[in-house]
Amino acid sequence: MPFVRIDALRADTDRLDALGRAVHEALVETLGIPPDDRFQVLVGHDGVTSTLRHDTYGGIQRDEGIVYIAVTLRAGRAPEAKQALYRRIAELAHTYAGTEPRNVFVTLTENASADWSLGNGAAQYLAPDRTRGMPGSGANS
């Protein structure tokens, strides 16, 4: 269950929606995330009251089209799967939102099953029956 935060400079609602769709589709395609497993925070920065800073670290010429994508997910994916995810996010961000791949900055933060509560104050991934404590499961409904 990934949790995604996307920050983009001068992004309107349509661009943020397109970026969110790009990241979610990439997660589904490359990591096998369930299609209904979407939890995202989408934030546009106007460059006046809030901004995003960037540099040319790594020899990449970024510009005002910069997008920061932070994905928190449970540990265990192979490096090749992560590389496929990065590529697919950049491709889909370009296709859906017109964001140049050079402006797509992605970071993954991994954690353990105990680090998640999906609601109802329960740690569902630790429960012997993963539906325990989930809405509609009968356990805590």
Side-chain angles (χ1 to χ4, degrees):
M1 173 180 147
F3 177 75
V4 174
R5 180 179 171 118
I6 300 172
D7 289 87
L9 192 57
R10 294 183 186 89
D12 61 14
T13 302
D14 290 339
R15 182 168 181 235
L16 288 171
D17 286 342
L19 290 165
R21 188 175 74 209
V23 171
H24 185 68
E25 285 185 24
L27 286 164
V28 170
E29 289 177 20
T30 62
L31 300 185
I33 301 302
D36 67 341
D37 190 354
R38 182 188 328 234
F39 297 90
Q40 300 179 333
V41 175
L42 310 173
V43 181
H45 298 265
D46 62 16
V48 177
T49 59
S50 65
T51 194
L52 300 177
R53 297 190 189 270
H54 56 85
D55 225 322
T56 58
Y57 183 79
I60 300 170
Q61 297 297 316
R62 298 167 191 88
D63 61 28
E64 300 298 306
I66 189 79
V67 175
Y68 291 112
I69 300 168
V71 180
T72 303
L73 68 170
R74 291 188 292 160
R77 275 67 177 204
E80 299 80 18
K82 294 175 185 179
Q83 290 173 326
L85 174 65
Y86 305 144
R87 274 191 304 275
R88 193 63 178 142
I89 289 174
E91 291 167 0
L92 292 175
H94 187 248
T95 299
Y96 295 158
T99 302
E100 292 294 328
R102 64 188 166 82
N103 281 322
V104 178
F105 184 101
V106 181
T107 182
L108 299 183
T109 302
E110 295 180 314
N111 59 23
S113 294
D115 299 317
W116 294 89
S117 173
L118 310 181
N120 293 326
Q124 287 85 356
Y125 290 131
L126 294 181
D129 172 6
R130 279 192 39 190
T131 62
R132 193 175 98 211
M134 291 189 180
S137 69
N140 291 327
S141 301

